[in-house]
Amino acid sequence: GAGVSQSPRYKVAKRGQDVALRCDPISGHVSLFWYQQALGQGPEFLTYFQNEAQLDKSGLPSDRFFAERPEGSVSTLKIQRTQQEDSAVYLCASSVRDRGLTDTQYFGPGTRLTVL
Amino acid sequence: EDKVVQSPLSLVVHEGDTVTLNCSYEVTNFRSLLWYKQEKKAPTFLFMLTSSGIEKKSGRLSSILDKKELFSILNITATQTGDSAVYLCAVHSGGSNYKLTFGKGTLLTVNP
């Protein structure tokens, strides 16, 4: 079966532009996560969805970051008025069960965002 | 604040060598520890460890967890050039048992 897919794989934006990053989780996976990975660092948690509900957005670095998963499958991470410090790889992950159980997260290939 | 520390940060070996990667953690309410391999694409899942002293093995890779000393090791025997990657350690902890806290990773380079 297909894994987690993300698009675009690469995005170059001028400072101040808005961007939208898409994640298609593994079919049937209840949980979806977004992580931000800066160069040379491990991924850092941004936000978590259980189906369509955003249960934790504590990792979003500012109110310019917004995520949604309206139908409980595909998710979009939107960054408004991008800044150079937003340059990073944005990883999406999904897992089959809800937050009640520790579960393996499967990652997509990421979107590499470069803000000029 | 939860912390995961990996060592070494980078390592260069020759094909056939055996390597040991380290991961130590300081977290509240530990639940599980995961290892991932990251090449220039998606981090791929290797192991999930929840119990101390039980080795998990997959081919030339193996891993074990010590919950008393708060660390895990990942061993790779008879390394191959295809093992070159960043190896990430992550921990599920606390009340948010869905959130993973990652270390910075170990960059392994295997030369022919």
Side-chain angles (χ1 to χ4, degrees), chain A residues 1-115:
Chain A
V4 178
S5 61
Q6 293 186 244
S7 61
R9 291 293 311 279
Y10 303 92
K11 176 70 180 176
V12 178
K14 291 184 180 177
R15 193 173 57 161
Q17 282 185 327
D18 298 349
V19 298
L21 313 180
R22 177 188 169 106
C23 172
D24 283 83
I26 294 172
S27 178
H29 277 198
V30 169
S31 297
L32 185 145
F33 310 82
W34 285 98
Y35 291 84
Q36 180 190 59
Q37 186 174 24
L39 191 63
Q41 304 293 315
E44 292 194 0
F45 172 82
L46 293 177
T47 187
Y48 162 67
F49 289 87
Q50 180 183 326
N51 295 307
E52 69 278 3
Q54 188 176 22
L55 298 185
D56 187 342
K57 53 182 181 179
S58 62
L60 295 177
S62 77
D63 59 8
R64 296 185 295 102
F65 286 71
F66 171 77
E68 60 183 4
R69 193 186 185 199
E71 297 178 359
S73 55
V74 170
S75 176
T76 304
L77 176 67
K78 296 179 180 178
I79 309 173
Q80 297 176 323
R81 305 181 304 281
T82 51
Q83 304 294 315
Q84 284 187 320
E85 61 263 29
D86 301 334
S87 296
V89 174
Y90 291 85
L91 293 166
C92 176
S94 69
S95 66
V96 67
R97 292 177 290 187
D98 67 24
R99 66 172 176 166
L101 295 166
T102 299
D103 197 8
T104 301
Q105 295 180 21
Y106 296 93
F107 284 82
T111 295
R112 181 177 295 279
L113 172 65
T114 304
V115 181

Side-chain angles (χ1 to χ4, degrees), chain A residues 9 33 35 37 40-45 48 55-56 58 91 99-110, chain B residues 31-32 34 36 38 40-45 48 50 86 88 92 95-105:
Chain A
R9 291 293 311 279
F33 310 82
Y35 291 84
Q37 186 174 24
Q41 304 293 315
E44 292 194 0
F45 172 82
Y48 162 67
L55 298 185
D56 187 342
S58 62
L91 293 166
R99 66 172 176 166
L101 295 166
T102 299
D103 197 8
T104 301
Q105 295 180 21
Y106 296 93
F107 284 82
Chain B
R31 297 185 185 272
S32 64
L34 292 85
Y36 289 87
Q38 186 175 30
K40 290 186 178 179
K41 48 186 178 179
T44 52
F45 171 75
M48 177 188 278
T50 55
V86 173
L88 294 166
H92 271 126
S96 59
N97 56 2
Y98 48 83
K99 184 189 304 186
L100 288 174
T101 300
F102 282 87
K104 291 186 177 182

Side-chain angles (χ1 to χ4, degrees), chain B residues 24-41:
Chain B
S24 64
Y25 59 90
E26 292 177 27
V27 299
T28 52
N29 298 324
F30 171 89
R31 297 185 185 272
S32 64
L33 184 145
L34 292 85
W35 284 97
Y36 289 87
K37 177 183 182 182
Q38 186 175 30
E39 298 167 272
K40 290 186 178 179
K41 48 186 178 179

Side-chain angles (χ1 to χ4, degrees), chain B residues 35-104:
Chain B
W35 284 97
Y36 289 87
K37 177 183 182 182
Q38 186 175 30
E39 298 167 272
K40 290 186 178 179
K41 48 186 178 179
T44 52
F45 171 75
L46 296 175
F47 299 111
M48 177 188 278
L49 303 157
T50 55
S51 301
S52 266
I54 298 175
E55 184 183 55
K56 292 218 171 176
K57 198 168 170 64
S58 175
R60 295 176 295 102
L61 278 66
S62 63
S63 184
I64 197 161
L65 174 67
D66 186 328
K67 289 168 74 174
K68 182 179 177 186
E69 300 297 330
L70 308 183
F71 77 90
S72 174
I73 59 172
L74 175 69
N75 278 323
I76 310 175
T77 59
T79 52
Q80 302 171 356
T81 55
D83 295 328
S84 297
V86 173
Y87 290 83
L88 294 166
C89 172
V91 176
H92 271 126
S93 65
S96 59
N97 56 2
Y98 48 83
K99 184 189 304 186
L100 288 174
T101 300
F102 282 87
K104 291 186 177 182

